[in-house]
């Protein structure tokens, strides 16, 4: 594996981003929607094996004290190789000294706990697709 990281949105195959999110069971939209979301983010990280996009993640932030991580996904055939940890750590380096929140599938909480994330006792959400989020275990 010839791994390289990229920190900007130039020359990204946005349909690949959409398909990767779909393949791992995460929320996905048309590639153009993901392009806009990543371009409007504070930090983006894309992982490539040679020229093949294999993972990514992004964060929004005020750059001072609050950040949120979104859309962290690794192609299934590359999971378990430390790429997700590398993406998260690269994001965290770029939003250091801020509070960081994220939401994840319940079965992925252990991964984030290993990276020192902890469950919040006081968290609230107003989801656009509330019923779907409830069915997927994100909300009560």
């Amino acid at each position: 594996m010839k791994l390289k990281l990229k920190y900007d949105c130039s020359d990204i195959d946005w349909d690949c981003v959409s398909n990767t999110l779909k393949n791992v069971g995460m929320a996905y939209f048309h590639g153009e929607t993901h392009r806009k979301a990543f371009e409007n983010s504070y930090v983006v990280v894309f992982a490539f094996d040679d020229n093949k996009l294999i993972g990514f993640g992004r964060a929004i932030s005020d750059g001072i004290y609050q950040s949120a991580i979104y859309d962290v996904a690794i192609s299934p055939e590359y999971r378990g190789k430390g790429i997700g940890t590398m993406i998260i750590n690269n994001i965290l380096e770029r939003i250091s000294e801020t509070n960081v929140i994220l939401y994840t599938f319940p079965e992925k909480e252990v991964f984030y706990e290993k990276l020192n994330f902890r469950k919040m006792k006081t968290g609230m959400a107003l989801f656009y697709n509330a019923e779907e989020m409830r069915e997927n275990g994100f909300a009560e």
Side-chain angles (χ1 to χ4, degrees):
M1 179 170 55
K2 187 177 176 185
L3 186 67
K4 65 179 178 179
L5 299 179
K6 180 178 167 105
Y7 303 101
D8 65 69
C9 294
S10 63
D11 301 319
I12 298 297
D13 180 346
W14 297 107
D15 290 329
C16 181
V17 170
S18 182
N19 290 333
T20 300
L21 290 165
K22 179 181 179 181
N23 290 339
V24 300
M26 292 174 63
Y28 66 96
F29 304 93
H30 186 272
E32 180 65 13
T33 301
H34 289 295
R35 181 191 63 78
K36 289 177 185 176
F38 275 77
E39 286 180 350
N40 287 327
S41 296
Y42 190 81
V43 174
V44 298
V45 178
F46 298 94
F48 292 85
D49 181 3
D50 201 17
N51 291 320
K52 179 182 179 185
L53 180 61
I54 60 171
F56 45 81
R58 67 186 184 95
I60 58 175
S61 180
D62 57 23
I64 307 298
Y65 59 86
Q66 298 294 344
S67 301
I69 295 175
Y70 293 98
D71 298 329
V72 176
I74 309 301
S75 296
E77 64 271 24
Y78 287 90
R79 286 186 175 170
K81 300 180 184 306
I83 298 165
T85 299
M86 188 180 306
I87 288 171
I88 291 292
N89 285 338
N90 273 270
I91 291 172
L92 292 174
E93 285 176 16
R94 288 160 177 77
I95 54 173
S96 64
E97 299 186 27
T98 67
N99 296 315
V100 180
I101 61 169
L102 62 84
Y103 62 93
T104 186
F105 286 106
E107 63 270 12
K108 297 294 182 188
E109 290 174 340
V110 171
F111 169 77
Y112 290 102
E113 287 172 349
K114 290 177 184 175
L115 297 172
N116 296 316
F117 285 85
R118 299 294 176 255
K119 290 184 182 182
M120 292 176 54
K121 292 184 178 184
T122 58
M124 304 291 288
L126 177 60
F127 291 112
Y128 172 75
N129 53 352
E131 185 57 34
E132 181 180 336
M133 298 304 276
R134 199 170 9 263
E135 289 172 4
N136 288 328
F138 289 103
E140 296 177 347

